[in-house]
Amino acid sequence: MLGAIDPAGFQPRRIGRLVSFDGQMLEATGLKEPVGANVRVIDADGHGALAEVVGFKGDRTLLMALDADAPHSAGARVEPDRRGTMVDVGEALLGRIVDALGNPLDGMGPIVTQHRWPLAGTRGNPLDRSRVTQPFDMGVRAINALLTAGVGQRIAIAAGSGVGKSVLMGQMIKGAEADVIVVGLIGERSREVSDFIETKLKGDVRKKAAVVAVPADHPPILRLRAAMRATAIAEYFRAQGKRVLLLIDSLTRVAHAQREIGLSLGEPPTIKGYPPSALGLIPRLIERAGADSRTGGSITALYTVLADGGDTEDPIVDTARAIVDGHIILSRALAEQGVFPAIDVGKSLSRVMSDIIDRPHADAARTLRRLWSVYEENRDLILMGAYREGSDPSIDAAIAHMPLIQQFIRQDQDETIDLNSAVTTLVQHFGA
């Protein structure tokens, strides 16, 4: 049906009516809005709640509620809301905390920005992405020395629950050499959101950080939007030539949100109940990060991935690992030994490391990795006492160096070790 005249364009707006509401999925008739657009559902009492267009079924428009607790009623008015596909961006976001819709959560008043950016990003030419050729100092000795990151690299941090993913991200935030830090806290407990902000974003770091936070009890469409908003904010600053560090905690919760939406739309579940759209979302989100050869700006991105039950072959872990430029696997066994960050050196990899380090650094890192690998291959024999010293010189060397390797990996939560110091220590102990 045709509604009121829109004063901005002097064109009639098409107003729909709510005809079905099943859980978080709504259906409206008489609405001609594209997928991804926002609408406002206005009930008879005048209460308005936002929803997003997620699909179509015949002449009915399928909507996902952005407010799961809204008191919708049959026949409610459904009006277009033009704010859905764009994100407010600008310097005013630095030092602030917002939700998935851009509303401030920190009690510091409204955020006035001068620019807007597409929520889903802009599709660019792949040849505009520059190579990763400069090292990015993460402030963590094991990463700087053994998994050296580059400017514009995308890295997945995978582990089971409670192994230290968020703590490691906090160490990276503190030690990273970045102009802007954008943090997306997606699907975490509300207590963890407060804890992360108060303990990991302190002092000068807070002034250059923008945080998008949506706890686990929010509707799936908001969790998905939070990840997209955080990425859009990072894209804007990259377009200004800034060196941006983007952190999404966690990518698994984003995929879970898309799984809920996909199953509600009737998509067939595949591996572990994930519909195709949930696995397809991951490369679309990750590919938005990287270095831009036109502006000189970059987005170095870190994505935490929850390995359900510690399974590193989980479909989300496997999909993320296939698209990123490096992955860091955290080991529960190391965490139980009190080694933090609990980085499993043998299973972790930086795909750009060989392009950004010199030969002495590469040789020392290769030596440490070889010693680690030999020890892990013979761990059972060593721990059972079945290995006799002197039987194999390589195993003897691995056993002798293992305490030094663990000490090299271990780093206090509040300690920051720059790239040069990490490499110097590595070459001193494991160089030729």
Side-chain angles (χ1 to χ4, degrees):
M1 61 180 291
L2 294 180
I5 300 296
D6 184 356
F10 299 99
Q11 295 293 326
R13 288 190 303 162
R14 186 174 289 274
I15 304 301
R17 292 293 177 184
L18 188 64
V19 295
S20 175
F21 179 33
D22 181 13
Q24 294 175 346
M25 189 66 67
L26 299 84
E27 296 184 17
T29 58
L31 200 64
K32 302 295 182 183
E33 293 297 307
V35 171
N38 267 13
V39 298
R40 185 172 293 276
V41 182
I42 303 177
D43 293 308
D45 60 359
H47 179 272
L50 285 177
E52 180 178 319
V53 178
V54 293
F56 304 97
K57 185 186 294 182
D59 61 349
R60 293 188 174 189
T61 300
L62 304 180
L63 312 171
M64 183 70 72
L66 297 178
D67 183 358
D69 300 322
H72 297 307
S73 58
R77 181 185 179 96
V78 183
E79 297 181 351
D81 187 301
R82 300 301 181 188
R83 298 172 297 172
T85 59
M86 301 296 288
V87 174
D88 293 323
V89 292
E91 299 287 336
L93 285 169
L94 299 182
R96 302 300 302 271
I97 305 163
V98 300
D99 64 11
L101 300 177
N103 302 315
L105 297 175
D106 49 17
M108 297 170 61
I111 301 174
V112 181
T113 57
Q114 304 298 324
H115 306 281
R116 309 199 79 194
W117 194 268
L119 181 66
T122 56
R123 188 178 296 275
N125 187 333
L127 296 182
D128 291 334
R129 291 293 172 85
S130 59
R131 293 180 60 232
V132 179
T133 57
Q134 301 177 40
F136 189 100
D137 191 345
M138 289 291 186
V140 179
R141 179 169 50 214
I143 295 175
N144 281 340
L146 304 173
L147 305 165
T148 311
V151 176
Q153 185 178 3
R154 292 84 50 85
I155 305 170
I157 304 173
S161 58
V163 184
K165 297 185 298 298
S166 297
V167 173
L168 178 57
M169 287 185 71
Q171 287 181 287
M172 292 178 176
I173 289 174
K174 182 180 178 182
E177 292 184 349
D179 300 320
V180 174
I181 298 172
V182 182
V183 182
L185 300 176
I186 319 297
E188 300 297 326
R189 295 181 288 272
S190 297
R191 178 196 61 78
E192 287 187 331
V193 173
S194 300
D195 179 75
F196 190 96
I197 291 168
E198 292 178 8
T199 61
K200 311 297 190 303
L201 295 177
K202 298 184 294 185
D204 293 337
V205 174
R206 176 72 177 271
K207 297 177 183 178
K208 62 179 181 179
V211 180
V212 183
V214 176
D217 59 343
H218 284 53
I221 195 70
L222 286 181
R223 283 177 264 146
L224 180 58
R225 277 194 167 213
M228 297 175 68
R229 178 175 288 271
T231 306
I233 293 171
E235 286 177 319
Y236 165 77
F237 284 110
R238 177 180 62 188
Q240 309 306 306
K242 304 283 189 181
R243 180 182 287 195
V244 182
L245 177 64
L246 170 66
L247 304 101
I248 301 293
D249 186 14
S250 72
L251 188 64
T252 303
R253 306 302 187 197
V254 178
H256 286 178
Q258 182 61 45
R259 177 172 62 182
E260 292 182 47
I261 295 170
L263 294 177
S264 297
L265 289 171
E267 283 190 66
T270 54
I271 305 173
K272 287 196 174 182
Y274 289 102
S277 64
L279 300 180
L281 168 69
I282 294 173
R284 291 203 311 273
L285 191 64
I286 291 176
E287 275 297 293
R288 293 171 63 180
D292 190 335
S293 61
R294 297 167 303 171
T295 65
S298 64
I299 300 175
T300 304
L302 301 171
Y303 304 91
T304 66
V305 187
L306 178 64
D308 290 336
D311 180 15
T312 56
E313 302 304 319
D314 177 85
I316 300 300
V317 178
D318 209 33
T319 303
R321 188 166 48 195
I323 195 68
V324 294
D325 307 312
H327 54 271
I328 299 171
I329 306 297
L330 302 186
S331 165
R332 189 174 298 278
L334 283 175
E336 290 171 350
Q337 296 174 39
V339 179
F340 289 100
I343 298 173
D344 189 325
V345 175
K347 295 180 180 178
S348 303
L349 177 70
S350 172
R351 296 180 182 176
V352 304
M353 182 173 173
S354 59
D355 297 328
I356 57 179
I357 63 174
D358 57 24
R359 177 57 64 85
H361 181 181
D363 291 343
R366 193 177 299 114
T367 298
L368 189 150
R369 280 181 169 275
R370 184 173 62 251
L371 293 169
W372 178 283
S373 177
V374 169
Y375 186 89
E376 290 299 317
E377 288 175 2
N378 298 276
R379 171 183 286 274
D380 292 341
L381 288 175
I382 296 169
L383 296 181
M384 287 189 301
Y387 174 74
R388 181 172 297 176
E389 185 178 356
S391 301
D392 188 322
S394 61
I395 298 179
D396 291 340
I399 294 173
H401 282 87
M402 202 59 192
L404 180 60
I405 293 174
Q406 290 193 354
Q407 186 60 39
F408 183 82
I409 295 172
R410 186 181 284 114
Q411 182 174 329
D412 291 338
Q413 183 175 343
D414 296 328
E415 187 179 8
T416 300
I417 300 174
D418 63 63
L419 178 63
N420 290 333
S421 298
V423 174
T424 299
T425 304
L426 176 71
V427 173
Q428 284 177 349
H429 291 300
F430 300 96

